[in-house]
Amino acid sequence: MDEWQIKIDNVFKELKDFQNETVDFAYEKLKANGRYLVADEVGLGKTKIAKGIIAKAMQEYIDQQRETPYRIFYICSNQALAAQNLRDLNIFKNDRF
């Protein structure tokens, strides 16, 4: 198992069952419609769910052996929140986006 696969697998190990279910559901809707909004109460893990969706997309990207760049666009309300969440969303931890 390569280093990227281990990091992707670790993302899913961090999620609770309901978060994993939301990742699966949201990812399928995202693929079908090109967009999907996850909205729930504060503290239920929207950022973790987003991280799971990124990991799921990255897994598919690796499985299909694509060579084009993989881009993720993240939009939020302010720069401080963006900086905090970028650290949380980076599934590769020590690597730069």
Side-chain angles (χ1 to χ4, degrees):
M1 186 178 300
D2 70 1
E3 180 182 352
W4 283 30
Q5 186 62 56
I6 292 168
K7 290 178 180 185
I8 290 169
D9 290 346
N10 285 338
V11 170
F12 296 114
K13 289 177 186 174
E14 294 174 5
L15 299 177
K16 296 177 180 170
D17 289 343
F18 78 92
Q19 291 168 330
N20 267 313
E21 289 176 22
T22 304
V23 165
D24 291 341
F25 183 83
Y27 187 70
E28 290 307 314
K29 294 295 184 183
L30 178 65
K31 283 178 51 178
N33 301 313
R35 61 184 173 193
Y36 189 77
L37 174 67
V38 175
D40 60 19
E41 297 292 326
V42 173
L44 290 180
K46 289 178 292 296
T47 302
K48 287 185 177 187
I49 290 167
K51 186 176 181 178
I53 293 168
I54 291 167
K56 196 166 194 70
M58 191 58 138
Q59 179 67 63
E60 185 174 297
Y61 185 84
I62 290 168
D63 289 347
Q64 293 177 358
Q65 298 179 345
R66 294 185 186 169
E67 295 191 18
T68 57
Y70 186 79
R71 293 184 173 92
I72 298 168
F73 293 92
Y74 174 71
I75 301 169
C76 70
S77 59
N78 64 62
Q79 193 171 8
L81 182 61
Q84 173 188 336
N85 285 346
L86 184 58
R87 286 189 302 272
D88 293 340
L89 292 171
N90 185 354
I91 64 175
F92 301 113
K93 297 294 180 200
N94 296 325
D95 301 332
R96 287 191 62 189
F97 277 79

